[in-house]
Amino acid sequence: MKSMKRIVMTMLVSVTMMTGASAQKTERIDREEILVLYGDSVKTDSLYNYWNTYVQNHPMDEVSWRNLFDVSEKKVYRRINTTKDWKGSEEYRKQLNVVGRMEKAIPGTYTFYYCAYEGSYLPEEEEKLAKEHDMLTLYMHHDAYADSAIATLPADALAGDYERWIQHLIPKSDTVRINQLLKRFYESGQYPEETLQYHFNELQGMETGAVYCGTHEGDIIGKLILQRVLGVHQDKILYDENAAMVPGYVKDVFGQIGIPYDKAWYEQGYEDQIEKQRAIMRYIFDHSKRPVYLSAHNMQGYVLGYGLPDELKARLYNEGLTIRYSTKPYDNRTVKRRNIEQCYRLEYLRMPFHPKMKDTQLFSFSADAYAMNYIRLLHDQLPYYKQHNKERYQWLRDIFTDIIDRLEKENFDVDEFKAYLK
C-alpha cells in the first residue's frame, strides 16, 4: 500500500508540474527593453543567445520566435550603425536566418508573416533575382506577407501590431482595411484614453474643413480613430507627412484638399526625402483654400533642426495645441483663448480615472508628456486672464496645479512648470 501510495503521489506531482509548465505563457519582450538594445551589444547578444536556444527547444512557440526576431533585427541594425556596411549587414541577417528557420517551424502563422515582412524576407524566386542584379534587400518589404499578416492578425494582438499595419495601409489609401483595424484597435482598449483626448482637442481647435499635417503616423492614428470609429471631426483632412514619398497617396490627399496634382512636379528631383517633404508642405500651404494646421506638439521640429524655411516659419501662428499657416497676420492669441474657453475639453487633465497601461505602442507619447504640452502651450494666457478674467485665470491655474501635483508625485522635475504659475 505504501508503495502504491508513493506511485500515486509521484504521478500527481508529475501532472502538477506538467500543468504548471503548460500554463506558463511566454511573454513578449518589453518595448522599452528592445529600445535600449541599440546601446548595449552585450545584452543584445545575451538575449539573442537565450531566445535562439529557446526556439530550438520550443519550435512551435510563436512568441519566442517573435522575441528572437526582434532581438536579431537589433543586431543587424547595430551592425549597420557601427560599420556603415549595408551589404555586409544584409548578409549578416541572412546568416542568422531567423525568418528562414521560422518558415520551417511555424509556416502560415501571423508571427511568420509579420517577421517575413519586417525582415525583408523574399520568396525564393525574388531572392534569386535580387542576387542576379546585386540588389540591396534590407528594406525590400514584400506586400504579400503584409496582406497575410493582416488577414491572420490575432484577437490578442498588441497595440504596436495594429499601428504597424495601419501605418502600412495609409500610403495605399486602403480605407476598408484601415477602418477594420482602427475599429479592432479601439475596441481592444489599448489606445490610451488621454492620448485620444489630446488628439480630439487638437481637432477641436481647427476651423471646419481644415487640413491637418502630421509628421508621422503617431499624429494621425488617434485622429483616424476619432473620425472613422467614433464619427467625430470627419470634416478634417489628415495628411501623413511620413507617406510623402508615395505618389498615389499624395495624389489622393491633394484630391481631398481640392488642389491639383502635377505628376511632373512631384517627380522632379530633390536632394533627399526631407527636401521632398518640404516641397509638398509648401505646395499645400500655397494652393490649399482650406485652413492648414500643424501640431504644436512638433513645433521644435518645424522651427529647429531641419525645420522649415524662414519665410514659412514667419507665417506660422500658434493657436494653442496647433499651429496655423497664414499669409495674413491676425490676432492668434484671441483664437487661442477661444480654444481654451470654448473648444478644448480640459477637465480630464485634473485626475485620471483609469490605471496606466503597459506601453506596447510603436508611436507612444506618454499621458504625462501630453499634460506637459498643455502647460507649455497654454500658460502664456495666464497673465491676460489674471488681468481681465479672474475666474478664468483661477480655473486654468487650478488645472495646471493639478497636473504639476500629479507629475511631482511621479518624480518629474516640475520647476519649469511651477515657474509659469508665479
Side-chain angles (χ1 to χ4, degrees):
M1 287 294 292
K2 287 183 179 179
S3 177
M4 179 61 72
K5 186 175 181 180
R6 264 199 302 271
I7 292 171
V8 171
M9 289 300 296
T10 302
M11 289 176 65
L12 285 172
V13 170
S14 299
V15 169
T16 303
M17 290 176 64
M18 288 175 65
T19 303
S22 63
Q24 287 182 350
K25 186 177 179 181
T26 312
E27 292 188 3
R28 285 266 296 275
I29 300 175
D30 271 359
R31 177 176 176 272
E32 293 299 322
E33 189 174 5
I34 286 289
L35 290 176
V36 301
L37 293 183
Y38 280 112
D40 192 334
S41 60
V42 174
K43 187 172 184 179
T44 304
D45 291 341
S46 175
L47 270 176
Y48 177 85
N49 292 334
Y50 173 82
W51 288 112
N52 196 41
T53 301
Y54 196 94
V55 297
Q56 291 171 22
N57 296 324
H58 305 84
M60 303 301 290
D61 188 331
E62 288 189 50
V63 177
S64 63
W65 277 111
R66 176 68 178 268
N67 287 343
L68 177 62
F69 172 77
D70 287 342
V71 176
S72 70
E73 287 294 281
K74 294 301 172 285
K75 284 172 70 70
V76 171
Y77 288 106
R78 264 190 65 83
R79 196 178 191 283
I80 292 173
N81 290 335
T82 55
T83 67
K84 310 303 179 187
D85 178 7
W86 296 81
K87 197 69 179 176
S89 298
E90 176 185 71
E91 289 305 315
Y92 181 58
R93 178 195 263 165
K94 290 175 182 176
Q95 288 170 23
L96 295 176
N97 194 31
V98 172
V99 182
R101 290 185 280 145
M102 197 183 300
E103 185 174 25
K104 292 179 180 178
I106 52 169
T109 61
Y110 169 76
T111 300
F112 166 68
Y113 292 132
Y114 174 93
C115 297
Y117 180 82
E118 285 290 302
S120 303
Y121 188 67
L122 299 179
E124 190 174 340
E125 290 303 314
E126 291 193 29
E127 180 68 27
K128 288 178 182 177
L129 189 65
K131 286 182 178 178
E132 287 174 11
H133 293 84
D134 196 31
M135 296 165 61
L136 188 68
T137 62
L138 272 165
Y139 296 107
M140 287 184 65
H141 298 307
H142 195 65
D143 280 2
Y145 290 131
D147 293 338
S148 295
I150 293 168
T152 56
L153 185 69
D156 61 351
L158 297 184
D161 289 58
Y162 284 112
E163 290 178 318
R164 181 65 190 94
W165 302 123
I166 294 168
Q167 179 189 42
H168 168 74
L169 294 172
I170 284 175
K172 300 177 183 300
S173 301
D174 189 336
T175 305
V176 173
R177 286 194 291 173
I178 290 173
N179 289 354
Q180 291 170 347
L181 288 176
L182 290 169
K183 188 171 188 293
R184 284 185 60 183
F185 187 13
Y186 176 72
E187 291 179 348
S188 76
Q190 295 184 79
Y191 197 90
E193 294 175 35
E194 289 173 308
T195 303
L196 201 61
Q197 185 67 63
Y198 190 90
H199 286 291
F200 177 82
N201 280 338
E202 280 193 312
L203 294 172
Q204 278 281 98
M206 301 180 201
E207 298 297 330
T208 301
V211 178
Y212 175 87
C213 300
T215 56
H216 52 69
E217 291 75 19
D219 292 331
I220 300 295
I221 291 175
K223 294 176 180 65
L224 285 173
I225 290 174
L226 288 165
Q227 289 185 333
R228 301 188 186 183
V229 180
L230 301 179
V232 296
H233 288 296
Q234 294 175 314
D235 59 297
K236 310 299 189 301
I237 296 169
L238 308 178
Y239 164 60
D240 180 1
E241 195 178 356
N242 203 33
M245 304 307 287
V246 181
Y249 173 75
V250 174
K251 183 179 180 180
D252 180 62
V253 171
F254 280 13
Q256 294 177 52
I257 297 172
I259 57 180
Y261 173 82
D262 184 335
K263 183 179 179 182
W265 165 82
Y266 179 84
E267 291 180 350
Q268 63 184 298
Y270 294 96
E271 286 187 16
D272 53 32
Q273 182 172 332
I274 291 173
E275 283 300 316
K276 186 147 198 162
Q277 289 173 327
R278 278 182 180 178
I280 294 172
M281 185 79 77
R282 182 188 289 274
Y283 193 89
I284 293 173
F285 286 159
D286 290 346
H287 292 84
S288 175
K289 293 181 181 178
R290 299 168 178 265
V292 181
Y293 293 85
L294 312 173
S295 176
H297 167 59
N298 299 310
M299 189 185 301
Q300 189 174 22
Y302 293 120
V303 177
L304 303 175
Y306 70 86
L308 290 170
D310 289 341
E311 74 273 16
L312 295 185
K313 292 177 189 175
R315 297 173 180 175
L316 298 178
Y317 294 83
N318 176 245
E319 294 185 355
L321 301 186
T322 53
I323 306 167
R324 182 171 178 174
Y325 175 82
S326 178
T327 56
K328 297 178 181 179
Y330 68 100
D331 184 2
N332 61 304
R333 285 177 171 256
T334 296
V335 178
K336 180 185 279 195
R337 287 193 290 274
R338 178 209 67 184
N339 288 338
I340 292 171
E341 297 165 20
Q342 302 174 27
C343 299
Y344 297 156
R345 299 180 183 177
L346 303 179
E347 290 301 320
Y348 82 95
L349 290 162
R350 306 195 73 156
M351 181 178 178
F353 288 96
H354 56 86
K356 284 191 174 181
M357 295 185 297
K358 185 176 180 179
D359 181 9
T360 63
Q361 290 182 268
L362 282 180
F363 309 105
S364 64
F365 196 69
S366 73
D368 291 326
Y370 275 125
M372 294 177 196
N373 270 1
Y374 282 102
I375 301 179
R376 289 192 175 110
L377 294 169
L378 305 182
H379 79 271
D380 62 343
Q381 295 310 300
L382 283 175
Y384 174 88
Y385 285 133
K386 190 172 186 178
Q387 183 176 354
H388 297 95
N389 188 332
K390 289 292 198 313
E391 185 177 349
R392 181 64 65 180
Y393 167 78
Q394 194 61 51
W395 170 80
L396 188 59
R397 194 179 190 282
D398 286 347
I399 288 176
F400 290 165
T401 300
D402 286 343
I403 294 172
I404 292 168
D405 288 345
R406 188 175 87 194
L407 294 173
E408 200 162 25
K409 287 175 184 175
E410 296 178 20
N411 297 316
F412 283 95
D413 182 353
V414 294
D415 289 346
E416 171 196 351
F417 307 117
K418 286 183 176 180
Y420 297 145
L421 305 187
K422 292 178 180 178

